[in-house]
Amino acid sequence: LTFAKNFLWNSSPVTDDIIKIDPVDGDNLESENTLGTVAFPSPTGIAFDGTYFWIVDWQSNTLNKVLAEDGSVLSTIPGPSSKPIYDADPQPADDYNARPFGITWDGAALWVSDHSEDMIYRVNPDDGAILASFASPATNPKDLAWDGEFLWVSDQTSGTIYKLDSGVIPTGLLG
């Protein structure tokens, strides 16, 4: 879930859709959704960097840079996990394949959670290089948020939201 261009945007791995939501009344603005035609096998996270949307897809283990105006995919970089990609080698065990899930933008780089590895990664948006990584505070990290100073991680198994000092002071933040 991210807030961008005066709307809420949600990625759904169940329906494989990117959903635009009016924050005032909760309406699904399907007819006005420029990202409605973007096809991903299983989008699990969405972030906005001020210009572009970033959509993480767990089945393809990719991070996708998407133009907000028309939904075109501008670039795709590999997810940070070294585990096999589900599309290439689908296995029923949750811990076998890469499972990138949450994504957020800190003003300079992307943060991505992988709940198969229980890891949090800071990723270069240009080439996918891992800039930093650390173990998640619990066993099933899902979504991420950046508040300008701290990284927030929600964990499905513990039902807890963790506030983390990432040790990173990003550049280029406004405000």
Side-chain angles (χ1 to χ4, degrees):
L1 181 69
T2 194
F3 185 81
K5 299 185 174 281
N6 298 316
F7 296 96
L8 292 168
W9 300 81
N10 189 47
S11 58
S12 172
V14 176
T15 63
D16 302 333
D17 291 325
I18 306 301
I19 303 163
K20 182 179 180 182
I21 303 164
D22 185 331
V24 175
D25 59 17
D27 282 350
N28 178 348
L29 303 173
E30 190 173 347
S31 63
E32 302 172 25
N33 186 357
T34 57
L35 302 183
T37 60
V38 179
F40 295 106
S42 195
T44 53
I46 186 169
F48 188 69
D49 70 7
T51 305
Y52 305 106
F53 284 99
W54 287 90
I55 299 170
V56 61
D57 185 86
W58 76 264
Q59 281 190 15
S60 61
N61 188 28
T62 56
L63 312 177
N64 303 276
K65 183 178 181 180
V66 178
L67 187 60
E69 287 74 23
D70 65 7
S72 58
V73 178
L74 301 177
S75 65
T76 297
I77 57 177
S81 177
S82 61
K83 288 189 171 189
I85 297 169
Y86 182 85
D87 281 350
D89 186 13
Q91 298 293 321
D94 278 348
D95 61 351
Y96 179 81
N97 294 110
R99 296 269 201 259
F101 205 91
I103 189 168
T104 194
W105 173 254
D106 72 8
L110 297 164
W111 288 94
V112 179
S113 64
D114 189 296
H115 75 96
S116 174
E117 296 182 314
D118 301 330
M119 292 291 292
I120 311 288
Y121 298 94
R122 188 167 188 248
V123 177
N124 181 320
D126 296 324
D127 60 10
I130 297 171
L131 304 173
S133 65
F134 53 87
S136 172
T139 61
N140 203 348
K142 294 294 186 186
D143 216 356
L144 302 170
W146 176 258
D147 70 5
E149 183 178 359
F150 295 98
L151 184 65
W152 297 81
V153 180
S154 64
D155 185 83
Q156 183 177 0
T157 301
S158 68
T160 304
I161 297 173
Y162 295 90
K163 177 182 175 182
L164 306 176
D165 181 355
S166 68
V168 175
I169 300 172
T171 59
L173 291 177
L174 302 176

